[in-house]
Amino acid sequence: MLYAALLIFIMEFADKTMIATVLFGVRSRRYLTVLLISVAAFLSANTIAVILASTISTFLSNRKVLMLIASVAFIVAGLISLRKSSEPTQQSIRLTSIAVFTGIFASELGDKTQLTVLGLTLTFNWVVAILGATIGYTVLNGLVLTLSKKAFEVLKYSEEKVKFYSSLMLIVLGVVIAVITVLNIFPW
């Protein structure tokens, strides 16, 4: 389990899902909620893949569709976040939460991390592999979100600037993923 946790911790560092999780966390300032949604999406995507390992080729052959879904989810979340509002409405919180889950879930399907988790299940019990991978993912994203929160507090950036730039980065991330997908250049 420790091996799986360490391997996923290293593989997820600076990965698109880690970056998206940080951007969602900084934007919403609901760090724990974003972490829990991100972990739920990661756990769901990997559990489904392991349980349906015999049909994983279906997921991999539709990689373009999944990546385009992820890119649209990130762009939509960025656009929702750009709305000028002093307090987020219940509807915007719900829409952003759905976008976070959908974006991370879709980007994990067929991702190098998911393939690694599938490989770990060949060596370890599948429950141990998924649990270890989820621990590594949670520790990394929790650490990065905590550091982001502290940086936000120490640097005392205006909330409007943070909202604007994190929303803009989500849109850019979505556009980059869409362009890479359409051009068929997958670095992950």
Side-chain angles (χ1 to χ4, degrees), residues 1-10 120 129 131-137:
M1 188 178 324
L2 182 59
Y3 176 75
L6 185 59
L7 186 60
I8 299 306
F9 181 95
I10 292 167
L120 288 168
L131 187 57
T134 303
I135 290 168
Y137 183 89

Side-chain angles (χ1 to χ4, degrees), residues 5 9 24-25 35 79 85-86 90 105 118 134 140-141 144 148 155 157 180-181:
F9 181 95
F24 284 123
L35 177 63
L79 292 173
S85 170
S86 56
Q90 197 64 22
F105 181 89
L118 286 169
T134 303
L140 174 65
N141 283 283
V144 173
S148 299
L155 298 174
Y157 287 114
I180 286 170
T181 301

